[in-house]
Amino acid sequence: MAQLPQSNRRRHHHNQFDVFVSFRGGDTRDGFASHLYAALRRRNVAAFFDAVDLERGNEISPSIKAAIARSEVCVVVISEGYAFSPWCLDEIAEIAECRRRKGTAVVPVFYRVDPGDLTGQLGRVGEAFDGHAAVYEEEKVERWSDALREVGNLSGWDSVVTRPESKLVDEVVNDVLHKLSQRCPRASPMKGLVGIQSRIKEVESLLQKDLLHGDDVLTIGIWGMGGIGKTTLTKAIFDQISPQFEGSFLLENFQEQLRKSKTIFHLHEELIRKILDNKNESLATELKFVQNRLHRRKVLIVLDDVADSLQLQELLGDGDDMFGPGSRIIVTGRDKHVLSIVADKIYEVKPLNPDEALELFCLNASRKGQSFAGNDAEMSKRFVDYAKGNPLAIRILGLALVGRSREDWKSKMKRLGRIVNPDIQSVLKVSYDGLDREEQSVFLDIACFFRGEDRDHVTKVLDGCYSSVRVMITNLVDKSLVMVSCSNTLEMHDLIQEMGWGIVHEQVEPERRTRLWNPKDVFQVLSRKKASVSMEGMFLDMSKVEEMHLEGDAFAKMDRLRLLKFHRPDYRSDVCNVHLPRCGLQSMSDELTLLHWHGFPSASLPLKFCAENLVELSLPFSKVSQLWPGVQHLGNLRLIDLEGSKSLKWIPDLSKAENLETVVLDGCERVVELPSYFQHHTKLKRLHLKSCKNLKFLPTRLDSEHLRHLDLSSCPKVSTCPEVSASLKELNLSGTTIRELPISVLRFRVPKVLNLDGCLNIRYFPEISGGIKKLTMNGTGIREVPSSSPMDHLLELEVLQMRNNLALTRFGADIGKLKSLRLLDLSGCSNLEYFSDISERPACCRDIRLGGCREVSRPRGVYSYEFDLALFDMQEKLEEKKGMHSMSGCTGKKAVSRVKSWLVTWCGGRG
């Protein structure tokens, strides 16, 4: 029956059909079947449908058989006269054969016939087969009969049940679309699209599973860096699901279309004409009518590469009101913020995993798409690692290597990371070009200097250079140029970073660049004094250069220098291989916000140096004795680090540094006094004065409500501790000569961690209130922990260490009341004679260490009987294992087994 219509003949030779429609022409061609065909065409389904009557008496042509075989779904419209047509029976027999052989989906439509007549071949169906039996061979008739029964037994649509016919047509079309969506996509070639199917499924899950009947208009944003595959993924999704909609529109390169002299109005008009299939009529004169039609139509709209939310809103208006129920809008872009304005959900396109990346590389680098072996496989992995899962980069790298020799591969590999591929850079640079000037500068700072650094730290440093840095970094994240890790560090794709480097390297001569980070370039510019006024940042890993001797005017021309960091990976080293003349530097840029110079070799900074813009001043292990004379206005300064500067005599005047947060002066052995103005630094968070051996004078109090850490450890001349605020979390007074704790610490503002190791002048257990979690008092002068100890109230205490307290003879506290205690360590308290009875089992305690407590007596209490039971049975085993439980030094078997039995009991029997 079916001759291919003119509009479909061209496709017949090259592509498979979506649907083959089998029907009896005289019954339904001008009625139901024609309406069904028109509905399928409106949904962009390629349907094979007869255009003219075929002459009776001839068998169906090979072209009809081929059309059935090429179709994904066959719709069989079985009407009253269907069984009387040998043509129709030949078609249904062929359809049944394809169903069995290749799994072709079949949708029966029982049009004004009883399905039972088909399976039982009763009524008019029976009459038809009686007539065929008299004319045709038995084998053919039996084949027809079996096929009709097989299709009749399938679940289908009954015109008597589903009415009116318009509804029946809609339901059949929806059923066809559903079956097509579950099968191979109609027009989306997947060859070479590695990893695409899993990503399609993820996006389809966001689009909601029931695309056919969902009522809400849903907008999905597809977001990712350049070259990650947003466009490819979106086009594949469009091809796969567009037949499920009444209208569809795909606009590639949205920004490019606008640049080609197309206004938003023109694009809006093109969208409407495409969706409504309205090519000739004037939309302007029918605006209200057009709006009503759109509002009733379920559509799929895909807009690729959108960078402006206002343009998007102008194009789509309010999608919920503009388009019909169940419509879906997909928007791709590199700016997450833009997408979030219009999208209900956002899908981030992730890089290919290592296996997918290697497969894609092999497809492009090998003429036959085969994987490589041996050394070639190792080189392949190195290229793949370089691309970090970016499909565009992988494809470009692979194509550049097709047919090349192994020596060419090795040469190409050496260039990785040094010379940016222009094809890759041109794609990635689109996002950079969309930034304003300050955002571009922040991006380059991160790419050249701050990758892997803490976001908050970088924000503070760059706040001294720009305005609203936090917002700009968020914008860079939204544009997929920067990522923030789970540990809050700034990260970026290697290719993005290299794109940034390439932008800086557009100035060929290093001295003309704005930023230097390559040790060879820094060495060349500084040693030859070639730097220009354009220099904004210079970072040097001093471990990667030989001895460098600079002149006093090495930085004289760098008036715009904002960021200077000379660092070493071995931070504790006091070695500095960058040397200055005895007179030091003549000048440094007043624009500096970051000055970090490990082992700074001069006794002071330049006399005329203005530090007003400094955010961070870090000169660890330097030779400075005095930074600058007089007072500087340091309103931007957040951190000063002079650790290990043994020549430093006076702390610089920081009285005007009202935003100071961190002070590190560990190991400044000649410093005697911490100036009194520190009392008024209300934003101070960390104060580190460890190993300041001559430090003696401190402010009476530190009023900062933000102070978290105070370290006075190994300061033997410190005999009093300043009063502190309630915000303090950690206080380290180990190795000092204090006799008592400040009242603020004892009664009201207990830190979570308190260290009093080696404080021999502490002779009484401090009366600490609740809140402390770790209390360390090793090697103190404490003689007794009384039974009335304030320990009873330390309900949050988890760790109590009192090792090597030689004066300690009694431990009278009942540890059974310490509900949170995990560790009690009294090892090395060789004179301990008494350990308190235990009123109840400690809930959390898993480790009690009494190694070296030779004189401790046996406790009595709730668990005494259990201890006795374990005493002899475990004695020998415990002796063997005593070294594993910090019991070395215990001379008595009884003491050993007693302590071990406590552990066994409290650990629930676990030795």
Side-chain angles (χ1 to χ4, degrees):
M1 63 164 259
Q3 176 184 338
L4 184 64
Q6 193 69 28
S7 60
N8 282 342
R9 282 181 182 169
R10 192 176 299 110
R11 297 188 54 164
H12 175 257
H13 295 291
H14 302 286
N15 301 315
Q16 64 182 17
F17 290 97
D18 292 326
V19 179
F20 181 94
V21 183
S22 175
F23 62 95
R24 176 68 188 270
D27 291 347
T28 60
R29 176 185 293 109
D30 296 331
F32 176 80
S34 65
H35 298 317
L36 175 63
Y37 174 66
L40 289 170
R41 287 200 61 185
R42 284 195 297 271
R43 305 295 281 275
N44 297 316
V45 176
F48 187 100
F49 186 85
D50 115 10
V52 296
D53 282 322
L54 297 179
E55 184 180 351
R56 289 174 176 262
N58 296 323
E59 294 184 353
I60 61 173
S61 67
S63 64
I64 299 297
K65 291 183 179 181
I68 293 173
R70 288 173 178 164
S71 298
E72 296 289 340
V73 179
C74 290
V75 179
V76 184
V77 182
I78 306 175
S79 56
E80 187 176 12
Y82 190 92
F84 287 91
S85 169
W87 288 94
C88 293
L89 293 175
D90 272 345
E91 285 181 358
I92 200 171
E94 193 67 29
I95 289 169
E97 176 66 22
C98 286
R99 177 178 179 269
R100 291 189 297 270
R101 188 178 72 253
K102 59 189 288 286
T104 301
V106 178
V107 179
V109 179
F110 307 109
Y111 188 77
R112 299 178 183 176
V113 297
D114 185 348
D117 289 350
L118 303 181
T119 56
Q121 298 190 351
L122 305 173
R124 294 277 290 165
V125 176
E127 293 177 16
F129 274 92
D130 288 342
H132 294 321
V135 178
Y136 297 101
E137 295 179 359
E138 180 180 354
E139 184 178 351
K140 173 175 281 198
V141 174
E142 186 175 347
R143 182 170 181 258
W144 290 345
S145 176
D146 290 343
L148 196 62
R149 284 194 181 94
E150 181 179 338
V151 174
N153 278 318
L154 297 176
S155 175
W157 298 93
D158 191 336
S159 65
V160 177
V161 176
T162 306
R163 305 175 65 182
E165 283 193 10
S166 60
K167 181 180 180 182
L168 178 61
V169 168
D170 287 342
E171 295 293 347
V172 172
V173 170
N174 285 338
D175 191 6
V176 169
L177 292 173
H178 181 65
K179 286 179 168 58
L180 284 173
S181 68
Q182 294 179 323
R183 304 174 70 83
C184 296
R186 165 181 64 90
S188 179
M190 295 296 172
K191 184 178 180 181
L193 303 184
V194 178
I196 195 75
Q197 289 292 1
S198 62
R199 289 158 177 80
I200 289 175
K201 290 180 180 179
E202 290 171 351
V203 175
E204 286 185 337
S205 70
L206 291 180
L207 290 168
Q208 299 176 354
K209 294 181 180 179
D210 192 0
L211 286 171
L212 300 177
H213 304 292
D215 290 333
D216 295 333
V217 176
L218 187 66
T219 301
I220 297 295
I222 295 184
W223 171 62
M225 67 180 290
I228 202 66
K230 300 182 297 296
T231 301
T232 302
L233 174 61
T234 307
K235 289 171 67 176
I237 293 170
F238 180 85
D239 286 337
Q240 188 153 311
I241 69 173
S242 59
Q244 303 177 35
F245 296 85
E246 296 168 343
S248 58
F249 179 70
L250 169 63
L251 180 63
E252 296 185 59
N253 299 319
F254 182 87
Q255 300 303 127
E256 185 64 25
Q257 296 284 1
L258 286 179
R259 281 193 287 269
K260 291 179 179 178
S261 302
K262 284 191 175 183
T263 65
I264 289 293
F265 174 78
H266 290 136
L267 290 179
H268 184 75
E269 195 170 60
E270 182 182 340
L271 181 151
I272 293 174
R273 291 186 187 280
K274 179 71 174 177
I275 289 176
L276 297 181
D277 197 19
N278 187 346
K279 299 179 180 179
N280 301 315
E281 300 172 28
S282 172
L283 299 179
T285 59
E286 304 175 353
L287 184 59
K288 186 64 178 177
F289 176 60
V290 168
Q291 289 176 343
N292 290 337
R293 290 179 66 192
L294 285 174
H295 191 63
R296 292 190 294 266
R297 203 172 186 100
K298 185 172 80 169
V299 301
L300 172 65
I301 298 173
V302 173
L303 304 175
D304 176 50
D305 190 27
V306 174
D308 189 320
S309 59
L310 291 178
Q311 293 172 345
L312 192 59
Q313 289 172 330
E314 288 178 21
L315 178 64
L316 298 180
D318 187 344
D320 290 350
D321 291 334
M322 186 172 179
F323 304 112
S327 294
R328 297 292 183 263
I329 302 169
I330 302 176
V331 184
T332 78
R334 306 185 189 194
D335 192 329
K336 188 177 182 181
H337 178 68
V338 169
L339 297 180
S340 67
I341 294 174
V342 296
D344 300 297
K345 301 175 183 177
I346 292 180
Y347 174 79
E348 181 182 0
V349 183
K350 298 288 188 180
L352 299 177
N353 65 42
D355 292 336
E356 292 170 337
L358 186 59
E359 181 183 351
L360 181 61
F361 178 81
C362 293
L363 282 172
N364 288 278
S366 170
R367 286 195 177 96
K368 296 182 179 180
Q370 298 173 341
S371 59
F372 297 96
N375 293 332
D376 293 340
E378 290 301 318
M379 286 194 287
S380 298
K381 290 179 180 178
R382 288 188 61 182
F383 281 107
V384 168
D385 289 342
Y386 168 77
K388 293 292 189 296
N390 186 288
L392 173 70
I394 293 170
R395 186 168 179 270
I396 290 175
L397 290 172
L399 290 174
L401 297 169
V402 175
R404 300 287 185 178
S405 66
R406 184 171 296 175
E407 287 69 27
D408 290 338
W409 278 48
K410 291 179 180 179
S411 176
K412 185 77 172 177
M413 191 177 299
K414 290 179 181 179
R415 294 163 59 92
L416 294 180
R418 294 191 300 107
I419 301 176
V420 183
N421 184 291
D423 295 326
I424 298 175
Q425 176 159 336
S426 63
V427 174
L428 300 179
K429 195 170 178 287
V430 172
S431 296
Y432 173 83
D433 292 336
L435 303 174
D436 64 37
R437 182 172 297 180
E438 278 204 340
E439 288 173 337
Q440 290 179 345
S441 188
V442 170
F443 166 75
L444 293 178
D445 285 343
I446 295 172
C448 298
F449 302 135
F450 295 117
R451 182 180 177 182
E453 296 288 329
D454 179 77
R455 174 178 180 167
D456 294 334
H457 172 249
V458 175
T459 300
K460 289 176 183 177
V461 170
L462 296 184
D463 263 335
C465 309
Y466 315 99
S467 58
S468 306
V469 172
R470 180 165 293 277
V471 174
M472 286 193 281
I473 291 178
T474 299
N475 194 27
L476 295 177
V477 172
D478 288 343
K479 292 181 182 296
S480 303
L481 290 170
V482 172
M483 299 174 286
V484 180
S485 72
C486 57
S487 57
N488 202 43
T489 59
L490 296 177
E491 305 293 346
M492 62 175 55
H493 196 286
D494 287 351
L495 296 175
I496 295 288
Q497 184 176 42
E498 290 178 15
M499 182 264 290
W501 294 348
I503 293 169
V504 175
H505 286 161
E506 287 175 0
Q507 288 291 345
V508 179
E509 300 86 357
E511 60 270 18
R512 295 183 178 275
R513 296 172 188 163
T514 58
R515 295 161 180 84
L516 292 180
W517 62 93
N518 182 287
K520 184 183 295 185
D521 293 339
V522 174
F523 184 91
Q524 174 182 328
V525 168
L526 287 179
S527 60
R528 300 178 185 178
K529 294 192 295 183
K530 285 189 173 183
S532 68
V533 71
S534 61
M535 188 67 63
E536 297 182 32
M538 182 181 292
F539 276 39
L540 172 65
D541 182 349
M542 293 188 291
S543 67
K544 296 183 178 179
V545 295
E546 299 177 356
E547 299 290 322
M548 189 189 315
H549 295 270
L550 304 183
E551 299 292 336
D553 59 350
F555 296 92
K557 296 180 181 179
M558 304 184 203
D559 292 338
R560 296 174 57 189
L561 189 65
R562 301 177 289 110
L563 308 168
L564 179 63
K565 184 173 182 177
F566 288 3
H567 60 99
R568 299 189 65 87
D570 48 338
Y571 181 80
R572 294 293 172 185
S573 171
D574 59 358
V575 175
C576 180
N577 52 342
V578 179
H579 306 284
L580 296 173
R582 183 180 296 274
C583 60
L585 289 172
Q586 296 176 11
S587 64
M588 298 187 79
S589 169
D590 294 342
E591 299 297 318
L592 279 172
T593 61
L594 169 64
L595 174 54
H596 179 119
W597 193 321
H598 190 106
F600 183 69
S602 183
S604 69
L605 293 173
L607 290 177
K608 295 183 180 181
F609 173 63
C610 177
E612 291 182 3
N613 289 311
L614 275 180
V615 174
E616 179 177 321
L617 174 60
S618 184
L619 304 176
F621 304 97
S622 70
K623 300 297 187 293
V624 296
S625 59
Q626 182 181 10
L627 282 178
W628 53 69
V631 181
Q632 294 235 29
H633 294 277
L634 303 170
N636 292 312
L637 191 64
R638 299 291 194 277
L639 178 148
I640 181 168
D641 181 0
L642 300 173
E643 178 182 355
S645 299
K646 296 181 179 181
S647 299
L648 185 68
K649 299 177 182 179
W650 301 282
I651 297 174
D653 192 328
L654 304 173
S655 58
K656 301 296 184 181
E658 61 267 18
N659 292 305
L660 190 61
E661 297 176 354
T662 301
V663 176
V664 181
L665 298 171
D666 296 344
C668 294
E669 298 177 352
R670 302 183 66 178
V671 171
V672 175
E673 178 183 9
L674 184 70
S676 59
Y677 59 72
F678 270 84
Q679 173 181 340
H680 306 297
H681 279 314
T682 56
K683 295 184 180 180
L684 192 63
K685 295 180 179 179
R686 294 174 177 268
L687 180 56
H688 292 196
L689 298 163
K690 179 180 179 181
S691 299
C692 291
K693 296 180 180 180
N694 287 294
L695 181 63
K696 186 175 183 180
F697 302 105
L698 299 169
T700 56
R701 62 185 310 105
L702 297 171
D703 290 335
S704 174
E705 294 294 333
H706 302 281
L707 188 63
R708 299 289 187 270
H709 301 270
L710 175 57
D711 189 352
L712 294 169
S713 61
S714 302
C715 295
K717 294 186 179 182
V718 170
S719 58
T720 59
C721 176
E723 300 290 343
V724 292
S725 68
S727 62
L728 193 67
K729 300 298 182 185
E730 185 172 347
L731 176 59
N732 193 340
L733 297 173
S734 63
T736 63
T737 54
I738 65 166
R739 295 180 179 275
E740 57 185 7
L741 295 174
I743 294 176
S744 56
V745 171
L746 285 173
R747 298 183 182 178
F748 311 112
R749 297 157 184 163
V750 178
K752 295 296 182 183
V753 178
L754 176 59
N755 190 333
L756 298 173
D757 287 353
C759 294
L760 293 173
N761 290 335
I762 298 288
R763 297 180 179 178
Y764 301 97
F765 195 93
E767 296 184 5
I768 305 173
S769 58
I772 192 168
K773 291 191 173 184
K774 182 177 181 181
L775 179 56
T776 306
M777 297 187 295
N778 302 314
T780 66
I782 295 175
R783 300 174 181 177
E784 177 183 9
V785 179
S787 57
S788 58
S789 166
M791 278 182 59
D792 296 348
H793 307 291
L794 303 183
L795 300 182
E796 296 182 30
L797 185 65
E798 298 176 2
V799 176
L800 175 59
Q801 292 183 327
M802 296 184 67
R803 298 193 306 269
N804 301 317
N805 280 296
L806 302 183
L808 185 64
T809 58
R810 290 177 57 84
F811 191 93
D814 181 1
I815 65 171
K817 296 180 180 180
L818 303 179
K819 305 299 183 182
S820 301
L821 189 68
R822 294 186 291 105
L823 168 65
L824 172 63
D825 189 353
L826 299 175
S827 56
C829 296
S830 56
N831 294 311
L832 182 64
E833 298 175 353
Y834 174 78
F835 190 94
S836 172
D837 293 342
I838 305 164
S839 60
E840 56 185 299
R841 176 176 177 168
C844 301
C845 193
R846 288 294 181 267
D847 198 353
I848 297 179
R849 302 176 185 176
L850 296 172
C853 301
R854 295 186 292 270
E855 306 299 329
V856 65
S857 61
R858 172 184 173 181
R860 296 189 302 274
V862 175
Y863 295 96
S864 295
Y865 180 69
E866 296 179 10
F867 297 155
D868 286 339
L869 285 177
L871 184 60
F872 297 104
D873 293 340
M874 299 188 64
Q875 178 172 324
E876 293 184 2
K877 294 180 181 178
L878 296 172
E879 286 260 6
E880 294 173 359
K881 297 181 180 180
K882 64 183 180 181
M884 298 171 59
H885 299 275
S886 301
M887 296 297 295
S888 58
C890 295
T891 56
K893 292 183 178 180
K894 189 173 183 180
V896 174
S897 58
R898 181 186 304 120
V899 173
K900 295 312 297 179
S901 63
W902 299 347
L903 289 172
V904 170
T905 302
W906 292 335
C907 292
R910 292 179 293 175

